[in-house]
């Protein structure tokens, strides 16, 4: 095949031939320029260490530090011209540094490689994203906590299989998500702690013969310690995988509540009203309020899970140490981090603005024979029936109410006694939904007093 016909396959995009194709495959500056602050921070710490170790003169180190500060300012001001020909953020920064300070810029790369350079840059960036997620989760948990406090004793249906099961309180349901997101927060905290080791100084893969001080650079960059094995240092992407795995679990939790918002805001449920900030209308049906923000969030969060699978797939077959495949590690993580940050902020806004329809919640809580289990428990507790017998009696009473088109509290005592003669009028004390939730006082149960105690605990935890 001729070069001309090969280029035609690319639709004219690569007019310069195979070299242009290789540049497009090889260059990462289009996305790894996001690592500029971390790259420059790492280089400044490295230069300071080289000078302290006697590897670099104080004059060269000072020039490098001043030049790097100027490069960062240019990037932050949008005045920096990134070049795909220079491949990545590291070479772009170094080339500009050479323009500013001259040959001394070439001494910066003493005792390091792009392998350990990118490893420290990326690790620092992901570490920062853990902090972003932790902050977002704190705000989201506070929003759920405010909802829980407002409706600590409001009743609503609890569901299994999306069928009415037992009454619960609105506050209890909101606190369930506080628990979920608290676990997510703890996972991000744990991931951050595990990734907080500095790979800088591992060089290409085997370390270096220069008398460097890796503990100094680790401290300067906020790490707890340097990594212990140079081979692992440059080949490890566990920190990114753990971030993505944790983000995927968090995304799943966000998506579950987004799904509940879609269901609850429907005309069939009317449990909640989402604010105008997070709803849209229909172009043809003027009566509609669409929960578009929740739906979009539910969809967008799938990108995080996709990024997790993508990076696992990249890493699963790589021998030690560095392979060019690992250049493909960043785009997925960048996109996932952006999506998670947006998702947390959007959900915090939706929850904060959410208005619960208390009458609709209470009406639904009382439907579907939701206090049947309370009746069975009463038969066990008061009449000493074995639970299986109580279950059978309750089932018969449910069928009777169903045939009559009423709920359990609407059955007369005489009707109940036809099913089991020892039932007394005391049974009505457990059949109301408020009585039901108030009775669920076991640790972790839905009773309003439990909910208020958990709210107080979480207020203290979150500060």
């Amino acid at each position: 095949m001729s070069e001309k016909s090969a280029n035609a396959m690319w639709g004219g995009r690569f007019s310069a031939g195979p070299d242009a194709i290789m540049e497009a495959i090889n260059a990462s500056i289009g996305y790894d320029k996001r690592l500029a602050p971390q790259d420059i921070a790492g280089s400044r710490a490295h230069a300071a260490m080289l000078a302290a170790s006697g590897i670099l003169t104080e004059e060269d180190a000072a020039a490098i530090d001043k030049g790097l500060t100027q490069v960062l300012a240019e990037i932050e001001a949008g005045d920096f011209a990134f070049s795909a020909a220079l491949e990545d953020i590291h070479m772009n920064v170094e080339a500009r540094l050479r323009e500013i300070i001259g040959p001394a810029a070439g001494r910066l790369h003493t005792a390091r490689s792009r392998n350990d350079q990118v490893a420290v840059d990326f690790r620092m960036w992901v570490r920062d994203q853990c902090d972003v997620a932790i902050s977002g989760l704190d705000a989201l948990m506070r929003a759920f906590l405010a909802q829980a406090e407002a409706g600590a004793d409001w009743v609503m249906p609890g569901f299994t299989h999306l069928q009415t099961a037992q009454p619960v309180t609105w506050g209890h349901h909101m606190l369930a998500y506080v628990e979920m997101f608290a676990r997510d927060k703890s996972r991000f905290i744990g991931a951050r702690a595990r990734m907080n080791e500095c790979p800088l100084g591992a060089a290409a893969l085997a370390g270096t013969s220069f008398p460097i001080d890796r503990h100094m650079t680790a401290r300067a960059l906020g790490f707890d310690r340097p990594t212990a094995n140079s081979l692992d240092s440059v080949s490890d992407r566990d920190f990114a995988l753990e971030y993505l795995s944790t983000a995927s679990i968090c995304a799943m939790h966000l998506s579950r509540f987004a799904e509940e918002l879609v269901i609850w805001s429907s005309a069939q449920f009317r449990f909640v009203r989402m604010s105008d900030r997070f709803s849209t209308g229909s172009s043809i049906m003027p009566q509609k309020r669409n929960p578009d923000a929740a739906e979009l969030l539910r969809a967008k969060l799938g990108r995080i899970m996709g990024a997790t699978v993508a990076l696992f797939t990249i890493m699963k077959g790589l021998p030690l140490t560095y392979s060019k495949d690992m250049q493909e590690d960043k785009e997925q993580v960048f996109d996932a981090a952006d999506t998670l940050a947006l998702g947390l902020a959007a959900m915090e806004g939706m929850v904060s603005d959410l208005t619960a329809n208390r009458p609709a919640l209470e009406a639904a809580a009382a439907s579907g024979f939701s206090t049947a289990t309370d009746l069975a428990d009463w038969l066990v507790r008061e009449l000493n029936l074995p639970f299986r017998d109580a279950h059978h009696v309750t089932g018969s009473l449910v069928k009777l109410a169903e045939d009559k088109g009423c709920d359990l509290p609407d059955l007369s005592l005489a009707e109940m006694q036809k099913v089991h003669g020892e039932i007394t009028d005391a049974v009505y004390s457990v059949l109301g939904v408020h009585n039901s939730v108030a009775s669920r006082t076991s640790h972790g149960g839905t009773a309003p007093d439990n909910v208020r105690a958990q709210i107080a605990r979480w207020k203290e935890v979150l500060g």
Side-chain angles (χ1 to χ4, degrees):
M1 183 182 292
S2 69
E3 182 178 306
K4 183 176 181 181
S5 61
N7 287 337
M9 292 175 62
W10 295 91
R13 170 66 179 84
F14 301 102
S15 58
D19 288 347
I21 296 172
M22 183 58 200
E23 181 180 295
I25 294 173
N26 196 46
S28 60
I29 190 60
Y31 50 86
D32 71 12
K33 60 187 177 184
R34 292 185 67 163
L35 297 176
Q38 290 78 19
D39 190 72
I40 291 172
S43 290
R44 293 180 69 186
H46 184 67
M49 180 276 296
L50 291 176
S53 302
I55 302 167
L56 197 64
T57 66
E58 292 291 343
E59 292 78 15
D60 282 346
I64 288 170
D65 190 76
K66 183 178 180 181
L68 288 171
T69 302
Q70 180 179 330
V71 174
L72 181 60
E74 290 175 0
I75 292 172
E76 290 178 340
D79 297 330
F80 191 94
F82 292 101
S83 169
L86 292 170
E87 296 185 13
D88 55 32
I89 185 60
H90 322 300
M91 298 307 295
N92 270 261
V93 168
E94 185 175 322
R96 178 60 182 139
L97 181 63
R98 181 176 288 272
E99 290 175 352
I100 295 169
I101 69 170
R107 301 186 187 280
L108 174 59
H109 209 54
T110 306
R112 76 174 183 186
S113 160
R114 278 195 290 179
N115 291 355
D116 62 335
Q117 190 178 358
V118 70
V120 73
D121 292 358
F122 195 25
R123 193 176 289 234
M124 290 168 66
W125 193 91
V126 174
R127 184 179 65 179
D128 290 344
Q129 294 309 305
C130 287
D131 293 338
V132 170
I134 290 165
S135 177
L137 284 163
D138 277 339
L140 180 56
M141 285 190 285
R142 288 190 177 93
F144 273 106
L145 196 60
Q147 284 285 352
E149 188 168 25
D153 57 358
W154 299 358
V155 290
M156 66 175 290
F159 297 98
T160 61
H161 310 280
L162 202 56
Q163 312 261 346
T164 299
Q166 294 176 311
V168 297
T169 53
W170 172 260
H172 197 53
H173 196 110
M174 296 297 101
L175 286 175
Y177 283 96
V178 175
E179 296 286 340
M180 290 183 214
F181 292 120
R183 292 195 296 273
D184 294 331
K185 178 182 173 181
S186 72
R187 278 185 281 267
F188 279 115
I189 291 171
R192 191 193 193 285
R194 277 183 290 279
M195 71 179 65
N196 207 34
E197 296 183 343
C198 184
L200 189 60
L205 75 161
T208 178
S209 59
F210 288 95
I212 62 173
D213 185 349
R214 294 189 62 207
H215 291 274
M216 179 179 174
T217 47
R219 286 192 301 271
L221 295 172
F223 289 99
D224 295 331
R225 64 192 72 84
T227 51
N229 184 286
S230 62
L231 298 173
D232 181 54
S233 299
V234 298
S235 64
D236 170 42
R237 292 299 183 269
D238 288 3
F239 62 91
L241 288 166
E242 188 169 7
Y243 171 81
L244 287 176
S245 299
T246 299
S248 290
I249 297 173
C250 183
M252 177 267 293
H253 291 150
L254 288 167
S255 189
R256 292 185 75 178
F257 193 67
E259 170 69 2
E260 292 202 313
L261 289 177
V262 172
I263 294 170
W264 290 355
S265 62
S266 68
Q268 289 72 28
F269 273 74
R270 298 183 299 109
F271 283 4
V272 299
R273 182 180 176 86
M274 295 177 64
S275 74
D276 290 345
R277 288 204 306 156
F278 297 101
S279 303
T280 65
S282 166
S283 62
I284 191 172
M285 295 167 281
Q287 83 280 9
K288 291 189 69 181
R289 285 174 54 84
N290 298 325
D292 281 9
E295 292 175 357
L296 286 166
L297 187 57
R298 185 176 58 185
K300 283 180 180 293
L301 293 167
R303 292 161 63 164
I304 297 174
M305 299 172 190
T308 306
V309 173
L311 187 54
F312 270 110
T313 304
I314 289 167
M315 295 301 300
K316 70 176 181 61
L318 299 186
L320 295 182
T321 56
Y322 182 84
S323 296
K324 195 67 170 180
D325 310 50
M326 293 167 69
Q327 184 169 293
E328 294 298 305
D329 57 359
K330 298 169 197 66
E331 284 184 284
Q332 291 88 357
V333 180
F334 291 161
D335 184 73
D338 291 345
T339 302
L340 182 63
L342 176 62
L344 289 169
M347 186 59 80
E348 189 269 330
M350 282 187 277
V351 173
S352 296
D353 289 0
L354 195 64
T355 302
N357 183 347
R358 186 178 181 181
L361 290 168
E362 185 160 343
S367 68
F369 309 106
S370 64
T371 56
T373 306
D374 298 275
L375 174 55
D377 289 345
W378 184 88
L379 292 169
V380 171
R381 190 170 54 249
E382 301 299 326
L383 303 186
N384 201 31
L385 291 183
F387 184 79
R388 288 302 173 198
D389 293 347
H391 187 281
H392 179 75
V393 170
T394 301
S396 298
L397 290 169
V398 166
K399 186 177 186 307
L400 177 61
E402 196 171 40
D403 291 344
K404 289 192 63 180
C406 67
D407 206 347
L408 286 171
D410 301 318
L411 292 174
S412 68
L413 179 60
E415 288 170 323
M416 290 189 183
Q417 287 176 338
K418 287 181 181 179
V419 175
H420 195 286
E422 296 180 37
I423 295 176
T424 69
D425 59 4
V427 73
Y428 293 103
S429 67
V430 301
L431 293 182
V433 290
H434 288 281
N435 292 332
S436 174
V437 296
S439 72
R440 306 290 175 181
T441 56
S442 59
H443 184 77
T446 191
D449 286 347
N450 287 19
V451 171
R452 293 187 178 98
Q454 289 297 317
I455 290 169
R457 178 177 74 86
W458 276 114
K459 280 186 170 181
E460 184 175 347
V461 169
L462 292 174

